Coordinates of all heavy atoms in Angstrom, one line a residue:
M26 N -0.6 -21.1 16.4 CA -1.7 -21.0 15.5 C -2.9 -20.2 16.1 O -3.7 -19.9 15.3 CB -2.3 -22.4 15.2 CG -1.2 -23.3 14.4 SD -1.2 -23.2 12.6 CE -2.6 -24.2 12.2
N27 N -2.8 -20.0 17.5 CA -3.8 -19.1 18.0 C -3.5 -17.7 18.1 O -4.4 -16.9 18.4 CB -4.1 -19.7 19.4 CG -4.9 -21.0 19.3 OD1 -5.6 -21.3 18.5 ND2 -4.5 -21.9 20.2
T28 N -2.3 -17.4 17.6 CA -2.0 -15.9 17.6 C -3.0 -15.2 16.7 O -3.2 -15.7 15.6 CB -0.5 -15.8 17.1 OG1 0.3 -16.5 18.0 CG2 -0.1 -14.4 17.0
T29 N -3.3 -14.0 17.1 CA -4.3 -13.3 16.2 C -3.6 -12.3 15.2 O -2.4 -12.0 15.4 CB -5.3 -12.5 17.0 OG1 -4.7 -11.4 17.7 CG2 -6.1 -13.4 18.0
F30 N -4.3 -12.0 14.2 CA -3.8 -11.1 13.2 C -3.6 -9.8 13.9 O -2.6 -9.2 13.5 CB -4.7 -10.9 12.0 CG -4.9 -12.1 11.1 CD1 -5.8 -12.9 11.2 CD2 -3.9 -12.1 10.0 CE1 -5.9 -14.0 10.2 CE2 -4.0 -13.1 9.1 CZ -4.9 -14.1 9.3
G31 N -4.4 -9.4 14.8 CA -4.2 -8.2 15.6 C -2.8 -8.2 16.3 O -2.2 -7.1 16.5
E32 N -2.5 -9.2 16.9 CA -1.3 -9.4 17.8 C -0.1 -9.3 16.8 O 0.9 -8.6 17.1 CB -1.2 -10.8 18.5 CG -2.1 -10.9 19.6 CD -2.3 -12.2 20.2 OE1 -2.2 -13.2 19.4 OE2 -2.7 -12.2 21.4
V33 N -0.2 -9.9 15.6 CA 0.9 -9.8 14.6 C 1.0 -8.4 14.2 O 2.2 -7.8 14.1 CB 0.6 -10.8 13.4 CG1 1.6 -10.4 12.3 CG2 0.6 -12.2 13.8
M34 N 0.0 -7.7 13.7 CA 0.1 -6.4 13.2 C 0.5 -5.4 14.3 O 0.8 -4.2 14.0 CB -1.4 -6.0 12.6 CG -1.6 -7.0 11.5 SD -0.4 -7.4 10.4 CE -0.9 -6.4 9.0
A35 N 0.3 -5.6 15.6 CA 0.7 -4.6 16.6 C 2.1 -4.6 16.8 O 2.6 -3.5 17.3 CB 0.0 -5.1 17.9
N36 N 2.8 -5.5 16.4 CA 4.3 -5.5 16.5 C 4.9 -5.0 15.1 O 4.6 -5.8 14.1 CB 4.8 -6.8 16.9 CG 6.3 -6.9 16.8 OD1 7.0 -6.6 16.0 ND2 6.8 -7.4 18.1
P37 N 5.6 -3.9 15.0 CA 6.1 -3.4 13.8 C 7.0 -4.5 13.0 O 6.9 -4.6 11.7 CB 7.0 -2.2 14.2 CG 6.5 -1.8 15.5 CD 6.0 -3.0 16.0
K38 N 7.8 -5.3 13.8 CA 8.7 -6.2 13.0 C 7.8 -7.2 12.5 O 7.9 -7.7 11.3 CB 9.7 -6.9 14.1 CG 11.0 -6.0 14.2 CD 11.9 -6.9 15.1 CE 13.2 -6.3 15.1 NZ 14.2 -7.1 15.9
S39 N 6.9 -7.9 13.3 CA 6.1 -9.0 12.8 C 5.1 -8.4 11.6 O 4.8 -9.2 10.7 CB 5.3 -9.7 13.9 OG 4.5 -8.7 14.6
R40 N 4.6 -7.3 11.7 CA 3.8 -6.7 10.7 C 4.5 -6.8 9.4 O 4.0 -7.1 8.3 CB 3.4 -5.2 11.1 CG 2.6 -4.5 9.9 CD 2.3 -3.1 10.3 NE 1.2 -3.0 11.1 CZ 0.0 -2.6 10.8 NH1 -0.1 -2.0 9.6 NH2 -0.9 -2.5 11.7
K41 N 5.8 -6.2 9.3 CA 6.6 -6.2 8.2 C 6.8 -7.5 7.6 O 6.6 -7.7 6.3 CB 7.9 -5.4 8.5 CG 8.9 -5.4 7.3 CD 9.3 -4.1 6.8 CE 10.2 -4.1 5.7 NZ 9.8 -4.6 4.4
I42 N 7.1 -8.5 8.5 CA 7.3 -9.8 8.0 C 6.0 -10.4 7.4 O 6.1 -10.9 6.3 CB 7.8 -10.7 9.1 CG1 9.2 -10.3 9.6 CG2 7.8 -12.3 8.8 CD1 9.7 -11.0 10.8
F43 N 4.9 -10.2 8.0 CA 3.7 -10.6 7.5 C 3.3 -10.1 6.2 O 2.9 -10.7 5.3 CB 2.5 -10.3 8.6 CG 1.2 -11.0 8.1 CD1 0.9 -12.4 8.1 CD2 0.2 -10.2 7.6 CE1 -0.2 -12.8 7.7 CE2 -0.9 -10.7 7.0 CZ -1.3 -12.0 7.3
E44 N 3.5 -8.8 6.1 CA 3.1 -8.0 4.9 C 4.1 -8.5 3.8 O 3.6 -8.7 2.6 CB 3.2 -6.4 5.2 CG 2.0 -6.0 6.0 CD 2.2 -4.6 6.3 OE1 3.3 -3.9 6.2 OE2 1.2 -3.9 6.9
D45 N 5.3 -8.5 4.0 CA 6.2 -9.0 3.0 C 5.8 -10.5 2.4 O 5.9 -10.8 1.3 CB 7.7 -9.0 3.5 CG 8.2 -7.6 3.7 OD1 7.6 -6.7 3.2 OD2 9.3 -7.5 4.3
L46 N 5.6 -11.4 3.4 CA 5.3 -12.8 3.1 C 3.9 -13.0 2.4 O 3.8 -13.8 1.5 CB 5.3 -13.6 4.4 CG 6.6 -14.0 5.0 CD1 6.5 -14.7 6.3 CD2 7.5 -14.7 4.1
T47 N 3.0 -12.0 2.5 CA 1.7 -12.1 2.0 C 1.6 -11.2 0.8 O 0.6 -11.4 0.1 CB 0.6 -11.7 2.9 OG1 0.7 -10.4 3.4 CG2 0.6 -12.8 4.1
K48 N 2.5 -10.4 0.6 CA 2.4 -9.4 -0.5 C 2.1 -10.0 -1.9 O 1.2 -9.6 -2.6 CB 3.6 -8.4 -0.6 CG 3.4 -7.3 -1.6 CD 4.7 -6.3 -1.5 CE 4.7 -5.8 -0.2 NZ 5.8 -4.8 -0.1
E49 N 2.9 -11.0 -2.2 CA 2.9 -11.7 -3.6 C 2.2 -13.1 -3.4 O 2.4 -13.9 -4.3 CB 4.1 -11.5 -4.3 CG 4.6 -10.2 -4.5 CD 5.8 -10.0 -5.4 OE1 6.0 -11.0 -6.1 OE2 6.4 -9.1 -5.3
S50 N 1.6 -13.5 -2.3 CA 1.2 -14.7 -2.2 C -0.2 -14.8 -2.3 O -0.9 -13.7 -2.6 CB 1.5 -15.3 -0.7 OG 0.6 -14.5 0.2
K51 N -0.9 -15.9 -2.2 CA -2.2 -16.2 -2.5 C -3.1 -15.3 -1.5 O -4.2 -14.8 -1.8 CB -2.7 -17.6 -2.3 CG -2.1 -18.5 -3.4 CD -2.6 -20.0 -3.1 CE -2.0 -20.9 -4.1 NZ -2.3 -22.3 -3.7
V52 N -2.5 -15.0 -0.2 CA -3.1 -14.5 0.8 C -3.4 -12.9 0.4 O -4.6 -12.5 0.4 CB -2.3 -14.5 2.1 CG1 -3.1 -13.6 3.2 CG2 -2.0 -15.8 2.7
G53 N -2.3 -12.3 -0.1 CA -2.6 -10.9 -0.5 C -3.4 -10.7 -1.6 O -4.1 -9.9 -1.7
G54 N -3.4 -11.7 -2.6 CA -4.2 -11.6 -3.8 C -5.8 -11.9 -3.4 O -6.6 -11.1 -3.9
N55 N -6.0 -12.7 -2.4 CA -7.4 -12.9 -2.1 C -7.9 -11.7 -1.3 O -9.1 -11.3 -1.5 CB -7.5 -14.2 -1.1 CG -7.5 -15.5 -2.0 OD1 -7.3 -15.4 -3.3 ND2 -7.7 -16.5 -1.5
L56 N -7.1 -11.2 -0.4 CA -7.5 -10.0 0.3 C -7.8 -8.8 -0.6 O -8.8 -8.1 -0.4 CB -6.6 -9.7 1.4 CG -6.4 -10.8 2.6 CD1 -5.3 -10.3 3.6 CD2 -7.8 -11.0 3.1
N57 N -6.9 -8.6 -1.6 CA -7.1 -7.6 -2.6 C -8.2 -7.8 -3.3 O -9.0 -6.8 -3.7 CB -5.8 -7.3 -3.4 CG -4.6 -6.7 -2.7 OD1 -5.0 -5.9 -1.7 ND2 -3.4 -7.0 -3.1
A58 N -8.6 -9.0 -3.8 CA -9.7 -9.3 -4.6 C -11.0 -8.9 -3.9 O -12.0 -8.5 -4.4 CB -9.7 -10.7 -5.0
M59 N -11.0 -9.2 -2.6 CA -12.2 -8.9 -1.8 C -12.5 -7.4 -1.6 O -13.5 -6.9 -1.5 CB -12.1 -9.5 -0.3 CG -12.1 -10.9 -0.2 SD -11.7 -11.6 1.4 CE -12.3 -10.4 2.6
T60 N -11.3 -6.5 -1.7 CA -11.5 -5.1 -1.4 C -11.3 -4.2 -2.5 O -11.7 -3.0 -2.5 CB -10.5 -4.8 -0.3 OG1 -9.2 -4.9 -0.7 CG2 -10.9 -5.5 1.0
D61 N -10.8 -4.7 -3.6 CA -10.5 -3.9 -4.9 C -11.8 -3.8 -5.7 O -12.4 -4.8 -5.9 CB -9.4 -4.4 -5.6 CG -8.1 -4.1 -5.0 OD1 -8.1 -3.2 -4.0 OD2 -7.0 -4.7 -5.3
N62 N -12.0 -2.6 -6.2 CA -13.1 -2.4 -7.2 C -12.7 -1.3 -8.2 O -12.2 -0.3 -7.7 CB -14.4 -2.1 -6.4 CG -15.6 -1.8 -7.3 OD1 -15.4 -1.2 -8.3 ND2 -16.7 -2.4 -6.8
Q63 N -12.9 -1.5 -9.4 CA -12.4 -0.5 -10.3 C -13.0 0.7 -10.1 O -12.5 1.9 -10.4 CB -12.6 -1.0 -11.7 CG -11.7 -2.1 -12.2 CD -12.1 -2.6 -13.6 OE1 -12.9 -2.2 -14.1 NE2 -11.2 -3.5 -14.1
D64 N -14.3 0.9 -9.6 CA -15.0 2.2 -9.4 C -14.6 2.7 -8.1 O -15.1 3.9 -7.8 CB -16.6 1.9 -9.5 CG -16.9 1.4 -10.8 OD1 -16.2 1.7 -11.8 OD2 -17.9 0.6 -10.9
G65 N -13.9 2.1 -7.3 CA -13.5 2.6 -6.0 C -14.6 2.5 -4.9 O -14.6 3.1 -3.9
D66 N -15.5 1.8 -5.2 CA -16.7 1.6 -4.2 C -17.0 0.2 -3.9 O -18.1 -0.3 -4.0 CB -18.1 2.3 -4.9 CG -18.5 1.6 -6.1 OD1 -17.8 0.7 -6.7 OD2 -19.6 1.9 -6.5
A67 N -16.0 -0.4 -3.5 CA -15.9 -2.0 -3.2 C -17.0 -2.0 -2.0 O -17.1 -1.2 -1.1 CB -14.6 -2.4 -2.6
A68 N -17.7 -3.1 -1.9 CA -18.7 -3.4 -0.9 C -17.9 -3.6 0.4 O -18.5 -3.2 1.5 CB -19.5 -4.7 -1.2
I69 N -16.7 -4.1 0.3 CA -16.0 -4.4 1.6 C -14.6 -3.5 1.5 O -13.9 -3.7 0.6 CB -15.6 -5.8 1.8 CG1 -16.9 -6.7 1.8 CG2 -14.7 -6.1 2.9 CD1 -16.6 -8.2 1.8
S70 N -14.4 -2.7 2.4 CA -13.2 -1.8 2.4 C -12.1 -2.5 3.1 O -12.2 -3.5 3.8 CB -13.5 -0.5 3.1 OG -13.5 -0.7 4.5
K71 N -10.9 -2.1 2.8 CA -9.7 -2.6 3.3 C -9.8 -2.5 5.0 O -9.3 -3.3 5.7 CB -8.5 -2.0 3.1 CG -8.1 -2.5 1.4 CD -6.9 -2.0 1.0 CE -6.8 -2.1 -0.5 NZ -6.0 -3.1 -1.0
E72 N -10.2 -1.5 5.5 CA -10.5 -1.1 6.8 C -11.5 -2.1 7.5 O -11.2 -2.6 8.5 CB -10.9 0.3 7.1 CG -10.0 1.3 6.7 CD -9.8 1.7 5.2 OE1 -10.9 1.3 4.4 OE2 -8.9 2.2 4.8
M73 N -12.5 -2.4 6.8 CA -13.5 -3.5 7.3 C -12.9 -4.8 7.4 O -13.0 -5.5 8.3 CB -14.7 -3.6 6.3 CG -15.6 -2.2 6.4 SD -16.8 -2.3 5.1 CE -17.9 -3.6 5.6
V74 N -12.0 -5.1 6.4 CA -11.4 -6.5 6.4 C -10.4 -6.4 7.5 O -10.3 -7.5 8.3 CB -10.6 -6.8 5.1 CG1 -9.8 -8.1 5.2 CG2 -11.7 -7.0 4.0
A75 N -9.6 -5.5 7.8 CA -8.6 -5.3 8.8 C -9.3 -5.5 10.2 O -8.8 -6.2 11.1 CB -7.8 -4.1 8.8
A76 N -10.4 -4.8 10.3 CA -11.3 -4.9 11.7 C -11.7 -6.3 12.0 O -11.6 -6.8 13.0 CB -12.3 -3.9 11.6
M77 N -12.2 -6.9 10.9 CA -12.7 -8.2 11.1 C -11.6 -9.3 11.4 O -11.9 -10.1 12.1 CB -13.4 -8.8 9.7 CG -14.1 -10.0 9.6 SD -14.6 -10.7 8.1 CE -13.1 -10.8 7.1
M78 N -10.5 -9.1 10.8 CA -9.5 -10.0 11.0 C -8.7 -9.8 12.3 O -7.9 -10.8 12.7 CB -8.4 -10.0 9.8 CG -9.1 -10.5 8.4 SD -7.9 -10.3 7.1 CE -6.8 -11.5 7.6
E79 N -8.8 -8.7 12.9 CA -8.0 -8.4 14.0 C -8.0 -9.5 15.1 O -7.1 -9.9 15.8 CB -8.4 -7.0 14.6 CG -7.5 -6.6 15.8 CD -7.8 -5.2 16.2 OE1 -8.4 -4.4 15.4 OE2 -7.6 -4.9 17.4
G80 N -9.3 -10.0 15.4 CA -9.3 -11.1 16.5 C -9.2 -12.4 15.8 O -9.4 -13.4 16.7
M81 N -9.1 -12.6 14.6 CA -9.0 -13.9 14.1 C -7.6 -14.5 14.4 O -6.6 -13.9 14.0 CB -9.2 -13.9 12.6 CG -10.7 -13.5 12.3 SD -11.1 -13.2 10.4 CE -11.1 -15.0 10.0
P82 N -7.7 -15.8 14.7 CA -6.3 -16.5 14.7 C -5.7 -16.8 13.4 O -6.5 -17.0 12.4 CB -6.7 -17.8 15.5 CG -8.1 -18.0 15.1 CD -8.7 -16.8 15.0
L83 N -4.4 -16.9 13.3 CA -3.6 -17.1 12.1 C -4.2 -18.3 11.4 O -4.2 -18.3 10.2 CB -2.3 -17.0 12.4 CG -1.6 -15.7 12.7 CD1 -0.1 -15.9 13.0 CD2 -1.8 -14.7 11.5
R84 N -4.5 -19.3 12.2 CA -5.0 -20.6 11.5 C -6.2 -20.5 10.6 O -6.3 -21.3 9.7 CB -5.2 -21.6 12.6 CG -6.5 -21.4 13.4 CD -6.8 -22.5 14.4 NE -8.0 -22.3 15.1 CZ -8.1 -21.5 16.3 NH1 -7.0 -21.0 16.8 NH2 -9.2 -21.1 16.8
S85 N -7.0 -19.4 10.8 CA -8.2 -19.1 10.1 C -7.8 -18.7 8.6 O -8.7 -18.6 7.8 CB -9.0 -18.0 10.7 OG -8.4 -16.8 10.6
I86 N -6.5 -18.5 8.4 CA -6.1 -18.0 7.1 C -6.5 -19.1 6.0 O -6.6 -18.9 4.9 CB -4.6 -17.5 6.9 CG1 -4.4 -16.6 5.9 CG2 -3.8 -18.7 7.0 CD1 -3.0 -16.0 6.0
T87 N -6.5 -20.4 6.6 CA -6.7 -21.4 5.6 C -8.1 -21.4 5.0 O -8.3 -22.0 4.0 CB -6.4 -22.8 6.3 OG1 -7.2 -22.8 7.4 CG2 -5.0 -22.9 6.8
M88 N -9.0 -20.7 5.6 CA -10.4 -20.6 5.1 C -10.4 -19.5 4.0 O -11.4 -19.6 3.2 CB -11.2 -20.0 6.2 CG -11.5 -21.2 7.4 SD -12.7 -20.7 8.6 CE -12.1 -19.1 9.2
F89 N -9.6 -18.6 4.0 CA -9.5 -17.6 3.0 C -8.7 -17.9 1.7 O -8.9 -17.3 0.7 CB -9.1 -16.2 3.4 CG -10.0 -15.6 4.6 CD1 -9.6 -15.8 6.0 CD2 -11.1 -15.1 4.3 CE1 -10.4 -15.2 6.9 CE2 -11.9 -14.6 5.2 CZ -11.7 -14.7 6.6
V90 N -7.7 -18.9 1.8 CA -6.8 -19.2 0.8 C -7.0 -20.5 0.4 O -6.6 -21.4 1.1 CB -5.3 -18.8 1.2 CG1 -4.4 -19.1 0.1 CG2 -5.3 -17.4 1.8
P91 N -7.6 -20.8 -0.7 CA -7.8 -22.1 -1.2 C -6.4 -22.8 -1.4 O -5.5 -22.2 -2.0 CB -8.4 -21.9 -2.6 CG -9.0 -20.6 -2.5 CD -8.2 -19.7 -1.7
G92 N -6.2 -24.0 -0.8 CA -5.1 -24.9 -1.1 C -3.9 -24.5 0.0 O -2.9 -25.1 0.1
M93 N -4.2 -23.6 0.9 CA -3.2 -23.2 2.0 C -3.4 -24.4 3.0 O -4.4 -24.5 3.6 CB -3.3 -21.8 2.5 CG -2.3 -21.6 3.7 SD -2.2 -19.8 4.1 CE -0.7 -19.5 3.2
E94 N -2.3 -25.0 3.3 CA -2.2 -26.0 4.2 C -1.8 -25.4 5.6 O -1.2 -24.5 5.8 CB -1.2 -27.1 3.9 CG -1.7 -27.7 2.4 CD -2.9 -28.5 2.6 OE1 -3.2 -29.0 3.5 OE2 -3.6 -28.6 1.6
P95 N -2.2 -26.0 6.8 CA -1.8 -25.8 8.0 C -0.3 -25.6 8.2 O 0.2 -24.7 8.9 CB -2.5 -26.8 9.0 CG -3.6 -27.3 8.2 CD -3.2 -27.2 6.7
E96 N 0.4 -26.4 7.4 CA 1.9 -26.4 7.5 C 2.4 -25.1 7.0 O 3.4 -24.5 7.6 CB 2.5 -27.5 6.6 CG 2.2 -29.0 7.2 CD 0.8 -29.5 6.8 OE1 0.3 -28.9 5.9 OE2 0.3 -30.3 7.5
A97 N 1.9 -24.5 6.0 CA 2.3 -23.2 5.5 C 2.0 -22.1 6.7 O 2.8 -21.2 6.8 CB 1.5 -22.8 4.3
V98 N 0.9 -22.3 7.4 CA 0.7 -21.3 8.4 C 1.7 -21.5 9.5 O 2.1 -20.5 10.1 CB -0.7 -21.5 9.0 CG1 -1.1 -20.6 10.2 CG2 -1.8 -21.3 7.9
E99 N 2.1 -22.8 9.8 CA 3.1 -23.0 10.8 C 4.4 -22.3 10.4 O 5.1 -21.8 11.2 CB 3.2 -24.5 11.1 CG 2.0 -25.0 11.8 CD 2.1 -26.6 12.0 OE1 3.2 -27.1 11.9 OE2 1.0 -27.1 12.2
K100 N 4.7 -22.4 9.2 CA 6.0 -21.7 8.7 C 5.8 -20.3 8.8 O 6.9 -19.7 9.2 CB 6.3 -22.1 7.1 CG 6.7 -23.5 7.0 CD 7.0 -23.8 5.5 CE 7.4 -25.3 5.3 NZ 7.6 -25.6 3.9
L101 N 4.8 -19.7 8.5 CA 4.5 -18.2 8.8 C 4.8 -17.9 10.3 O 5.5 -17.0 10.6 CB 3.3 -17.8 8.3 CG 2.8 -16.4 8.7 CD1 3.7 -15.3 8.0 CD2 1.3 -16.2 8.2
I102 N 4.3 -18.7 11.1 CA 4.4 -18.4 12.5 C 5.8 -18.7 12.9 O 6.3 -17.8 13.8 CB 3.4 -19.4 13.3 CG1 2.0 -18.9 13.1 CG2 3.7 -19.3 14.8 CD1 0.9 -19.8 13.5
D103 N 6.5 -19.6 12.4 CA 7.8 -19.7 12.8 C 8.7 -18.6 12.4 O 9.6 -18.1 13.2 CB 8.5 -21.0 12.2 CG 7.9 -22.4 12.8 OD1 7.4 -22.3 13.9 OD2 8.1 -23.4 12.1
A104 N 8.5 -18.1 11.2 CA 9.1 -16.9 10.7 C 9.0 -15.7 11.6 O 9.8 -14.9 11.9 CB 8.8 -16.6 9.3
L105 N 7.7 -15.5 12.0 CA 7.3 -14.5 12.9 C 8.0 -14.6 14.3 O 8.4 -13.7 14.9 CB 5.8 -14.3 13.0 CG 5.0 -13.9 11.8 CD1 3.6 -14.2 12.0 CD2 5.2 -12.5 11.5
N106 N 8.0 -15.8 14.9 CA 8.7 -15.9 16.0 C 10.1 -15.8 16.0 O 10.6 -15.3 17.1 CB 8.3 -17.4 16.5 CG 6.9 -17.5 17.2 OD1 6.2 -16.7 17.5 ND2 6.3 -18.8 17.0
K107 N 10.7 -16.0 15.0 CA 12.1 -16.0 14.9 C 12.6 -14.6 15.0 O 13.7 -14.1 15.3 CB 12.7 -16.6 13.7 CG 12.8 -18.2 13.8 CD 13.3 -18.7 12.6 CE 13.1 -20.3 12.6 NZ 13.6 -21.0 11.4
N108 N 11.7 -13.7 14.6 CA 12.0 -12.2 14.4 C 11.3 -11.3 15.3 O 11.4 -10.1 15.1 CB 11.7 -11.8 12.9 CG 12.7 -12.5 11.9 OD1 13.8 -12.1 11.9 ND2 12.1 -13.5 11.1
R109 N 10.7 -11.8 16.4 CA 10.0 -10.9 17.3 C 11.0 -10.4 18.3 O 12.0 -11.0 18.6 CB 8.8 -11.6 17.9 CG 9.1 -12.7 18.9 CD 7.9 -13.4 19.4 NE 8.5 -14.6 20.3 CZ 7.7 -15.2 21.1 NH1 6.4 -14.9 21.1 NH2 8.2 -16.2 21.7
T110 N 10.5 -9.3 18.8 CA 11.3 -8.7 19.9 C 10.6 -8.8 21.2 O 9.4 -8.8 21.4 CB 11.7 -7.3 19.6 OG1 10.4 -6.6 19.3 CG2 12.5 -7.1 18.5

């Protein structure tokens, strides 16, 4: 649970797994809602969110996703660990 988003994203395999798992989940929706703006001038850019999240532990995802339980984060971490090189 202390693995950071930056560590996950630094590994191509784990990055793909994370992106696939979050693409259509509440995580992806919440992150897109924070950064998308119809006018293209969102107050927070995707780059800003990525920089902010780089040092954050995966357990912090529960703060951004209403209803996400720590058990779901543990499942994500298990999936990442099974496929790391």
Side-chain angles (χ1 to χ4, degrees):
M26 300 270 282
N27 292 321
T28 300
T29 66
F30 286 98
E32 292 168 331
V33 169
M34 301 311 256
N36 180 304
K38 276 187 166 181
S39 59
R40 172 186 280 250
K41 172 116 174 69
I42 292 166
F43 182 78
E44 288 174 347
D45 289 347
L46 289 172
T47 59
K48 189 178 293 183
E49 296 190 27
S50 71
K51 292 179 185 177
V52 177
N55 281 5
L56 293 178
N57 285 334
M59 286 173 36
T60 60
D61 286 348
N62 183 315
Q63 291 180 353
D64 298 329
D66 61 350
I69 301 174
S70 70
K71 291 184 193 252
E72 293 80 16
M73 290 170 69
V74 172
M77 177 186 73
M78 292 180 67
E79 187 172 334
M81 293 176 73
L83 290 177
R84 70 176 181 272
S85 65
I86 203 168
T87 58
M88 294 185 297
F89 296 105
V90 183
M93 176 163 258
E94 299 294 329
E96 294 80 18
V98 178
E99 288 176 20
K100 286 182 182 180
L101 170 63
I102 292 169
D103 287 343
L105 293 169
N106 284 335
K107 286 178 185 175
N108 291 289
R109 70 180 174 169
T110 56

